[in-house]
Structure formats: structure tokens, C-alpha cells
Amino acid sequence: MKQVTIVGAGVMGRSIAYTAAQHGFPVMITDQSDQALTDAEQFIAIEAEKALQRGKVSKEDAQRLIRRVTYTISLEEACRNADLVIEAVLEDIALKIKLFQQFDRFCKQEAILATNTSTMSPTEIAAQTERPEKCIAMHFFNPAHKMKLVEIIRGLDTSDETFAQVKQVAEGLNKETVEVNEFPGFVTSRMNGLIGNEAMNLVMEGVASVEDVDKAMKFGLNHPMGPLELADLVGLDTRLRNMTYLYETLGETYRPCPLLVKYVKAGRLGRKSGRGFYTYDER
């Protein structure tokens, strides 16, 4: 892989880009927002400086990492020389399909197209391209430069060669991988969605406070982060989109908690808005 292109310069996209650059891949990030690209460039510079201060990299390595990443608002330019495209935009199936159709036009024939979706169908997305055998899902976890796992999800037509290449890239990023045959929610999102939704139901029903639900999961079940803390980190709007999709595809078990719906309507989206299940001093 000579070039990895990241489409979407938000929280996940810039973190994936940093990870790829950190492990020696030339990276191009594209987004329709100039501000998002500026924010991504600042994020990567800050993370490189943190790694330098912790003694994880030399000054020269930090500078090389930063130089490996380029930025463009042009999707066509970003795709032109890409060997692997990783889409990291909102969990909106129509948006993902539209982008994959553009990737298919702009990318060279041998390029692999990957979606970072946490719930949605790579088969459905791939079917809108002329290369379904080269389409796959790579589900990174937030923050991608710290979390060890990448779920690799095969679509119906994903070839063994595509899977092997993507697995090799993920391992080159120093990630652990699991192979998943597509089904809504894959492995982690199905399980995590249920846990988080039930935590919200417990709060809504007055069974325990937000703090005590999280404390019970951390100290009773050894979770590193409480499910409500995690929902705030992911974004409650993102969690609602995921749960809505799982509800529509898997049924009643995944009906979004009414409290989650209410919070999103109120603009309480978690860390990014300053308030969710918890209140944050800094956005």
C-alpha cells in the first residue's frame, strides 16, 4: 500500500489518519470542510508532539509523521493515487453509498474501498459499485490511534485477496483483528448497543444514577469505561443513528431508549456538545 486515503476529517478520520502516518503509510485526508481539514492538521501535529514529549518518537520521526499526511478538499484528487480508501463519515447509508459510487469512478481499478461503519452493510454499499469484490468494512474504535482492535467485515462478494490485504494493513498498524461475516451490528456494536441501551433504561426507570450505573459496570464487570461515559464519548446522536439502524434491521430488542431520543432532541450530544449524560467543562 503506497497511499492510504481517508475520507472524512472528523474525530474518527483524523485519528485513523494519524495511526496510518505513525506506522509509515503516506496518507491523504479529504473533507468537504476546510475547517475540518485544519482541525485534523492541528490534531495530528498535537498528537505527534505528545508522542515526542513522552519519548515515544524522536524529533525527526515526529516531523516525518507530520510530513506523511497531506490534505485536500478535492475528493477526486484524494482518490486518484489511492491504494486503499477508508471512508469515515456519518453513519448514513445514503451518504456512504454516494461516496462509494464516487470512489468507484475516481479510484484506479485495483484500489480497495473500505468503510469504517460500525453497523451498516458493506454488501449494500459495495453493490452500488463496479468492484464489490474490492469493498470491505474496517471498523476502527475511538480513539483509533489508541484502541487496539479493528473489526474486518466481509461483504457478500468481498474476495479473499481483499480481506488478506486489509488484514495485512491493519496488522501493519499494530492492531488486533477479528474476521466478521456481515450481519447488522457485526460483533461489537450489537453487544455494546444492548449494554448501552440497557444502561440508559436503568437511568430512565430510576433504578440507579448515571454515576452508579457506570461505577457498577467498571468495578463489578471490569469494564474500562462505563456505558454512559462511552456513549457520551461516541456522541449520543451517533449512538441513536446506530441503534435506529439495528432496530430497523434486527427488531424490537434494539429499540432506542426514549431517554436517548430525548437527549438528542435537546441537543445533549455528549462530549462534543458539552453535555450528555455528564456535563463537560470543555468542548
Side-chain angles (χ1 to χ4, degrees):
M1 294 286 172
K2 294 180 181 178
Q3 181 185 308
V4 176
T5 287
I6 310 297
V7 179
V11 171
M12 285 303 300
R14 65 198 186 198
S15 185
I16 296 168
Y18 176 81
T19 305
Q22 184 183 34
H23 289 88
F25 290 92
V27 179
M28 184 170 282
I29 308 180
T30 185
D31 197 288
Q32 62 183 357
S33 163
D34 282 321
Q35 185 60 55
L37 292 173
T38 298
D39 290 346
E41 188 169 7
Q42 291 175 346
F43 169 84
I44 287 169
I46 289 168
E47 289 302 315
E49 178 62 24
K50 287 179 182 177
L52 175 61
Q53 295 301 322
R54 291 195 300 267
K56 300 291 185 181
V57 298
S58 67
K59 184 175 181 179
E60 293 74 18
D61 285 340
Q63 291 172 342
R64 277 193 289 267
L65 187 161
I66 290 168
R67 288 197 299 269
R68 286 190 193 106
V69 187
T70 54
Y71 306 84
T72 179
I73 203 164
S74 168
L75 181 62
E76 184 172 3
E77 179 186 0
C79 288
R80 188 177 299 128
N81 296 313
D83 298 297
L84 171 64
V85 176
I86 302 175
E87 165 269 307
V89 302
L90 292 176
E91 287 289 81
D92 180 325
I93 192 72
L95 174 59
K96 291 177 186 294
I97 286 173
K98 179 181 177 181
L99 282 170
F100 268 67
Q101 289 171 334
Q102 292 176 296
F103 302 162
D104 200 29
R105 292 199 305 273
F106 296 150
C107 289
K108 55 192 177 185
Q109 197 168 23
E110 61 270 25
I112 292 173
L113 312 180
T115 173
N116 181 50
T117 184
S118 58
T119 55
M120 295 181 176
S121 168
T123 297
E124 182 177 357
I125 296 168
Q128 309 306 314
T129 75
E130 298 297 322
R131 62 179 91 190
E133 74 285 353
K134 288 193 167 293
C135 295
I136 200 164
M138 294 180 76
H139 178 205
F140 290 81
F141 293 78
N142 186 23
H145 60 295
K146 296 180 181 177
M147 299 293 283
K148 288 292 292 182
L149 183 67
V150 175
E151 278 185 307
I152 304 176
I153 302 97
R154 290 176 176 266
L156 182 63
D157 295 313
T158 302
S159 70
D160 290 343
E161 180 183 7
T162 295
F163 175 83
Q165 287 180 290
V166 167
K167 180 178 173 67
Q168 185 176 26
V169 169
E171 290 174 347
L173 300 177
N174 197 30
K175 302 298 185 185
E176 295 291 335
T177 65
V178 292
E179 179 179 357
V180 181
N181 293 312
E182 183 197 322
F183 205 78
F186 317 141
V187 174
T188 55
S189 293
R190 279 182 71 175
M191 296 174 69
N192 191 50
L194 284 178
I195 293 169
N197 214 47
E198 191 59 20
M200 295 171 197
N201 284 330
L202 289 169
V203 172
M204 182 180 69
E205 293 163 8
V207 175
S209 68
V210 169
E211 293 80 5
D212 281 347
V213 168
D214 277 348
K215 186 176 181 180
M217 295 300 288
K218 286 190 285 188
F219 293 100
L221 297 181
N222 206 29
H223 286 208
M225 179 181 285
L228 301 172
E229 291 177 280
L230 179 58
D232 272 0
L233 177 63
V234 169
L236 299 188
D237 52 341
T238 299
R239 177 58 62 87
L240 179 57
R241 280 192 293 270
N242 289 346
M243 292 305 298
T244 300
Y245 180 79
L246 291 174
Y247 172 54
E248 291 170 350
T249 53
L250 295 177
E252 187 65 27
T253 304
Y254 290 87
R255 180 187 289 273
C257 174
L259 187 59
L260 173 62
V261 177
K262 185 184 293 186
Y263 275 21
V264 172
K265 286 180 177 178
R268 297 187 188 183
L269 307 182
R271 283 186 176 273
K272 61 186 171 185
S273 70
R275 191 176 183 190
F277 285 97
Y278 294 88
T279 299
Y280 303 91
D281 293 332
E282 297 181 6
R283 297 188 183 182

